[in-house]
Amino acid sequence: MRKLTLLLAIMLFSTAQMLAQRTITGTVRDDEGKTLPSATVLVNGDVKYAAQTDLDGKYSIKIPSVGKFLRFSFVGMKSQDIQIGGGNTIDVILESEASQLEGVIVVAYGTTTKKSSTGAVSVIKGIDLVKSSGGITSAIQGTVPGVQVVAGAVRIRGYGSFSASGEPLYVVDGVVGAPYPRDEDIDAFSILKDASSTALYGSRAANGVIIITTKKGRKDMKPTFEFKYTHGITSIIKPDYNYLNADEHFRMIWLGLKNSNPKNATNANVIKQLNGLNPYNMAEPLDANGNLKPEARMLYSTDWRNASIKDGKADAADFSVRGGSANSLYYWSGGYSNWDGFTSADYSRTYKTLFNFSSNLNKAIEVGTNISLSYNEYGSMYTSAANENNLLYVSRVLTPVAPIYQLEKVYDDASKTTWTYKEKLDANGKPIWDWSNPNYKNYNPLAQLEVDPRDGYGYRQYMAPFVNIKIIEGLTFKGNAALSMSTERFRMFQDPRYASGQTENGLSYMWAEHTRSWFTSGALNYIFKIKENNNFNAYVGVERDDYKNNTIDGTRIGYDLGNVTTELSMGVKPKDVNSSTLERGLLSYLTFFKYNYAEKYFLDLSFRRDGSSKFGANKKWGNFWSVGSSWLISEEDFMRSYKWINTLKLRASYGVTGTDAIASYRYGDYYSLGYNYNGKTGIKHDNLPNEDLGWEQNNSFTMGLDFGFWGILQGSIDYYNKDTKDLLMDVRVPYTTGFVTKFMNVGKMNNKGVELLLTVSPLRTGNLKWTSTFTLTHNQNTIKALPQEQILSGTKIYKVGGTLYDFYMREWAGVNPDNGAPLWYKDKKDANGNVIGKETTSSYSDADRYIPGRSTPDAIISLTNAFEYKGFDLSFQLYSSLGGKIYDGEYASMMHDGSSKINQLPTDALNSWKKPGDQSDVPIFILGNTNQSNYLSTRFLTDATFFKLKNLSLGYTLPKQFVSKAKLEIVRFFVTGDNLVILSKFKSGDPERYISGVTDNTSFPNSRTVRLGVNIKF
Amino acid sequence: MKKYNILILASVTVLFSFLASCNKDILDPKPTTKIDVDKVFSSIETITAFRTGLYGQSIYSNQNNIPFLSGEIPIFSEILGNDIVYGYTWYQRMNPSYSYNVDQTSYEPEELWMRTYFLTEACNTLINAQTPPQINENTIKGYKAEALALRAYTYYEISHFFGKAYHLDQGASKAIPYVDVVDYTAKPERNSIKEIYLKAIADLEKAIPDLQTKKNTGPYFMNKNAAYAILARIYMDMQDYTKARDNAQKALIGISPMTREQYKGGLSNANNCNESIFAFETDFDTRAKWRTFTSFHDGWDGMGDDLLVNSSLVDQLGKTDMRRAFIIDEPSYMYYDGHVYNGETYSVEELLDYSFSFNGRGYYKYAKFPRKDASLDGKFVRGSLGYGDYIAIRGTEMRLLIAECDLALGDNIAEAQDILFDVQKRAIPDAVKSTKTGNELRDEIRLETRKEFFAEGHAYKFMKRWGTGLHRDGSHNPNAMLSINETDPRFVWPTPQREKDVNPNLLK
């Protein structure tokens, strides 16, 4: 293709010359600053007027009178149009496209090219990251095969552990635990998936590694400024279930009373249940059959959910400047973001700045530093557990009969038989919060958002100086130190007049945290050649990671003045004061060795030895290693005849990595404090010690094929097989030992899977460009060994042969049409106790439990299409998770069938069984029922398969000729949308909530975001 | 240039080795909020802290946990009976036990089983601890005796939930393992009720010589009187009335009856109650206020609306019975503020004459267990939610037990009548001394026991001891209006499945 273009260009060059008026010269470079030979330069994009750069990237082109702009293009680079101005020199930098085997990628402890990598590594450029509003995890979702992302949780190539975290390791500019940069500061990030690429991170690598590289300056680059502003609106995808209104709920309570005892079903009793609340215009709104009398009118109905939750909005302004001279590079950025969440109490305002600088002191020594500062203020509603303080939960529970503001009756006439309501007003004419709801005495979630502040602020300072010393040709030393310090303060206040605060006449809680993390490393890297084709790279390094965290918190009670000030000094008496310190350390030695022959055969070896404070004396140190190799088949002479094969690379790797993502001090034998009594200190044995506690070990094998055909199709296919042993697990011990669990290394697990990436670029040149990318992820998780036959864990069961996410619950058999009782299945047994089938039972405790499926999908597929036409760019991503189930615990708690008495109900409850013969899937509604009908069962388990338009992004870049007049380089307007369309059987919007597949009112449902923005570069 | 290179190389090497060598101390940090095992049994201070921790554990609660000995045991005991009605509010966690729907995967048996062994592991550790010779031997003996008695108390109380009533098969049926050693790998089998009782008796008899009297220790620590009282309870279950009476009498040595005035103030302060023998103190500063015993009886804003008094018991309390004033009608719920009704403050005496309408759900009983810092007379002070003692053993129980023994042995009917009259006249100024005998007197004593002890956490124990079965009436939830005989298997909670999964010996 390149040759054809060249030939064509040369042929036409003579024609162009004839029409030339003047000559423009310049240099074409790539985004690393390297000159690009053989780049094509076209006047007005027309092949009639063409030139090509020489070996030094220089070109010279005669401009015809019709010449308006120059189009620069190069294979693997994005073409660029530049307005022809008054000058005779135009230098350009072409940005690389994410081409398959070109370009530098950042890997563990260095860089490589895709061509020479032996590992399974995916790279996402910063420019693609900012298309979505969800940050790194959202950018990975669907674009990187082999990765499952569910609401921010990332699982690379399956699931690792019972008790340790499954999250990958994040590394920012070579430092684990460095602060996350803003999306705009990210140049690119690499997702390392197999042992060959991750083993150098040893004890923390088993869940994969994500390496983030921030933007740096460039050599000989004039200061380039970039400004970006976005405004976004977020809304919960589907607000919620549909709920009963006040009239429906009132009548439902009547029905519940009738079903418990017909003589209880009176208007007065319903009102009594509702603490005297009556949403109608009269005292006896229902007739003897529970129907609304014609003269009765519902006067109000509260939609607590809608009143509580609003749309959120997000604004962000970002500014950066980057550049460099021959010896120094710099990048400085600052950003402000403001997020208003789904309630008035949820917000965040963040200020961040980053400064990356490096300079060559002489030919041998380069020094530099990365510095970042951030400050964040936030407010956050309580969502930790589904209780009366959690608005997400309470807004689903409060009866619609309870008003938000206090109401008073205005009688229609002297007989006082009918009335209307009006809101009571305070002295300032404002409505007064009502606290009389019958569900939670003295709670009003909306009022609490106002009177009970829950907020905090924090700042973080980070400085990472480094030095690179070139000792001899090819041998360099790199020394790195990173100091991170952060402070946070949080307060929570409970007003003396209402809710929880009432019991202690007001309560204020303050919490402060200081964290210090200190990372140092030193390494020698040697790159050398032996004879023509033997290329080597050897590396040896040492690292030390030291982390310390202190917290202090205090509570005082007795706040007669309310939240005038919430400082602790204001409280009448102290209630509780605590402090704690947490430390951990990691000491590591690592080395790698890379060899390739003629850039065709590649071999990587790596080894790391980690010592961790988290593990017992007998297992403190662990060894991790990998072997990776690849063969670039397409570079072989015998492949030359297959012109349609552009690239073909086979790679394989095997290695051992570990997981240490557990809390500190889990192995020791300790006694815990806090069991005080009678005013004296009391202590208690804390845990069963285990000096053999060590790493969870992952042995993984990967085989992959990278390919490129016909110049338009690229892709890769990977197969992996990961065996995990010594899984970290809180192993249940008999309670008779006095303990619940012992933290141990037990069991075995296997994850194997296939991942596929296909990119087709049917239109790569011309005005219309089109690239389409398809990914497929399939993972099979299998538990291979356990310390006991089966382990129950919440909604799940672990069994050999099963998966980590197998649901285990009673099977719903519907509703008995004769009496409306709930039914479940149980095993039917013959006289000898053999199971011969299933039968139904109306006793929950009598029913048997089964495995009705698992929460994880069978496959994840994604299709991304990107188009460019003139100044327009459009991309959209379709994403689908196939298979898996979700247990809707939120819905279960709401469909209480009367057991939660006067709690609000979804409209589905209206379909409850009413009389013998009724076919319904909702049992009889009895106020105060104890039939356990909404306990854990498949009644609330649904298929979690979904299909979504995950992202849509449309941009328009103003023509160069316009913007250059204003001395600007690029002006781009864009609009992006996330989660715009979702199709699934799940009733409450997006089933993509938790990997565990259980909803529980502890997080906001997923949201849809639409953002508008402008990006200006000059 | 060569020199320059060497210089750099040298400094690099120095830096490198510095990083690599001097930092191994970071691999062994110690937690600052815990105490290392080596320090625990090395000084009298830490051993005392460990002994204090036994009681601390018994009353420990947080957002999710009800205290064990001062919460779960008495509360489950009540909701399994007839005199307390459960299940009208959002706290539905105990519904299965209330409606006798407990199975081996239910929360209740697993929770009680688990917490039994949390506590007894600590008792066992202290009992078996090797302590340095310089520490006062008598102090250590006293602590070990407390641990022995607390262990016996725990296993005895818990055995009612997991075992059949003793008299049904002379204690032959199995209940739970009586673990009395420290072995973190052991997989014990279950002991029979008889074995549990005999082990508990042995523990108590071993402890008694080294225990202080209640007069010396106060009510908040295990003491000699309490140990005798536990023995009396055990022998009463075993229908060994002679030993039961003997031990009950010993339990009452130095214990005078509570006065009417004290009773009026409620049962939340063991120090203000002459007859308290053993009680758990709640420290209001650190305990989760929502889950304490006092909170469960606090209709105002605790969990008290979960445990109401059954109308059938209230109906049996005469208008002049002071204990009737502990109870307030459910419809006044929204106005209810301790003794404040409809905005007016009433004394206990005034409430006696106040007529309330009954709506069929049950009655509040805040005044029996008011907050420890509340004031019910004069200026009403609500006090701190959840702050109050749980009196686990008080003299009246022993006195009524003696009366039952007198009757069962047939050797002192007059004393039985006297005791009954004493108890009655404290609560009922115009009480008339009973002249009944035989089963009629027995039934009257038992009824008086119910009236006296409702909500105090003994209902299940009495029900099983008396062999009455459960025949609910009054204001119970229709789904829990049960009538079951004492041999019904539902009276025995199953061994938790979770425990059987990790200890197959429990299947034996």
Side-chain angles (χ1 to χ4, degrees), chain A residues 209-226:
Chain A
V209 180
I210 294 178
I211 298 183
I212 299 165
T213 313
T214 59
K215 287 177 180 167
K216 311 284 186 305
R218 289 179 192 154
K219 232 173 188 180
D220 296 326
M221 181 190 194
K222 67 178 173 59
T224 305
F225 297 87
E226 197 164 345

Side-chain angles (χ1 to χ4, degrees), chain A residues 328-346:
Chain A
S328 299
L329 312 175
Y330 63 88
Y331 173 82
W332 176 57
S333 77
Y336 165 70
S337 61
N338 176 30
W339 172 77
D340 286 317
F342 299 118
T343 74
S344 57
D346 288 271

Side-chain angles (χ1 to χ4, degrees), chain B residues 19 91 170 227 290 449 482 499:
Chain B
L19 279 163
Y91 193 75
Q170 294 307 299
W290 295 103
T449 305
L482 301 164
E499 195 69 347

Side-chain angles (χ1 to χ4, degrees), chain B residues 193-213:
Chain B
I193 287 284
K194 184 172 185 176
E195 287 164 345
I196 291 167
Y197 281 14
L198 293 179
K199 278 172 179 279
I201 290 167
D203 277 350
L204 291 161
E205 286 176 346
K206 191 174 171 194
I208 281 170
D210 295 324
L211 285 170
Q212 303 280 312
T213 60

Side-chain angles (χ1 to χ4, degrees), chain A residues 196-447:
Chain A
S196 172
S197 56
T198 63
L200 274 172
Y201 290 102
S203 63
R204 296 174 290 182
N207 299 321
V209 180
I210 294 178
I211 298 183
I212 299 165
T213 313
T214 59
K215 287 177 180 167
K216 311 284 186 305
R218 289 179 192 154
K219 232 173 188 180
D220 296 326
M221 181 190 194
K222 67 178 173 59
T224 305
F225 297 87
E226 197 164 345
F227 173 78
K228 187 176 157 195
Y229 173 77
T230 55
H231 172 74
I233 300 212
T234 53
S235 52
I236 288 177
I237 290 170
K238 181 178 180 296
D240 210 8
Y241 299 93
N242 296 321
Y243 291 109
L244 304 188
N245 65 24
D247 169 51
E248 289 164 330
H249 197 221
F250 192 96
R251 285 188 283 136
M252 203 70 196
I253 294 168
W254 185 93
L255 178 69
L257 285 170
K258 189 195 111 190
N259 286 336
S260 69
N261 184 348
K263 73 172 199 268
N264 287 341
T266 64
N267 284 293
N269 274 342
V270 176
I271 292 167
K272 196 182 280 175
Q273 290 288 339
L274 290 165
N275 250 5
L277 294 169
N278 175 0
Y280 301 96
N281 61 336
M282 56 198 296
E284 298 273 330
L286 305 186
D287 65 17
N289 298 318
N291 295 320
L292 197 62
K293 291 176 183 168
E295 63 274 30
R297 277 187 301 118
M298 178 178 80
L299 297 175
Y300 70 90
S301 177
T302 306
D303 184 342
W304 285 100
R305 186 76 175 178
N306 262 339
S308 308
I309 290 174
K310 62 181 181 64
D311 284 351
K313 73 180 169 64
D315 291 276
D318 299 281
F319 166 81
S320 70
V321 56
R322 71 201 288 198
S325 65
N327 286 323
S328 299
L329 312 175
Y330 63 88
Y331 173 82
W332 176 57
S333 77
Y336 165 70
S337 61
N338 176 30
W339 172 77
D340 286 317
F342 299 118
T343 74
S344 57
D346 288 271
Y347 64 87
S348 164
R349 330 229 178 281
T350 307
Y351 306 81
K352 263 189 183 178
T353 183
L354 170 71
F355 182 60
N356 290 342
F357 174 78
S358 66
S359 182
N360 293 314
L361 300 184
N362 56 34
K363 281 190 175 172
I365 303 177
E366 182 194 18
V367 294
T369 186
N370 301 347
I371 297 173
S372 75
L373 294 171
S374 64
Y375 174 75
N376 173 244
E377 292 172 353
Y378 64 91
S380 112
M381 197 187 82
Y382 175 87
T383 53
S384 306
N387 63 32
E388 62 274 21
N389 291 306
N390 178 348
L391 179 137
L392 280 177
Y393 168 72
V394 173
S395 65
R396 284 174 154 157
V397 165
L398 295 190
T399 170
V401 178
I404 296 172
Y405 299 107
Q406 289 184 24
L407 301 175
E408 58 187 339
K409 277 180 187 167
V410 179
Y411 291 104
D412 293 340
D413 53 43
S415 71
K416 294 192 173 182
T417 50
T418 59
W419 56 77
T420 54
Y421 285 110
K422 70 167 187 178
E423 277 181 2
K424 269 191 198 167
L425 302 177
D426 66 11
N428 301 318
K430 279 175 65 181
I432 306 165
W433 296 114
D434 186 277
W435 300 89
S436 68
N437 82 75
N439 307 88
Y440 287 107
K441 284 177 283 179
N442 299 308
Y443 282 79
N444 178 334
L446 288 167

